[in-house]
Amino acid sequence: MDPETVDQNYAQLQQQGQQTAALIQTLAGKLQAAAAAGDSNAREWMLDLKEITLGVQQEEGQVSLLLQSIHSLVDNHVQSTTVPPEYQQQPQYQQQPQYQQGAGGMGGLQRFLGGGFGRAIVTGAGFGIGDDLINKIF
């Protein structure tokens, strides 16, 4: 899988998260209106919705932790495959073959980490749906 596909999938995930947040906000608005109109069940449903929103927030926290773990795994792998400094200096007279990095290898990893999803895992960013919803709804 190439970095562009990962970034596309990540963008789709973000978009889906935004759509889910909009649906929850719409439902919260309806419940608030019903509660204001005297519906005794609406308050109970708002509390249920708050609980659901907190569950989404916790899930996002786990996803963020997972992304940070993946980043650490990749980072540790990259560090373990680097050449020790004592082997990096080659005598001037030796001709070393030059290799092109394709979609895989370190070039692909650098492109991956430079993309939207890669930057998100480097910074440990989550989607923030739960935080936004709790702040906006409640």
Side-chain angles (χ1 to χ4, degrees), residues 76-98:
N76 290 338
H77 175 73
V78 168
Q79 290 178 9
S80 71
T81 59
T82 56
V83 180
E86 62 267 14
Y87 295 111
Q88 287 180 352
Q89 292 185 358
Q90 298 291 327
Q92 292 283 345
Y93 58 88
Q94 287 185 349
Q95 187 70 17
Q96 297 293 323
Q98 300 294 318

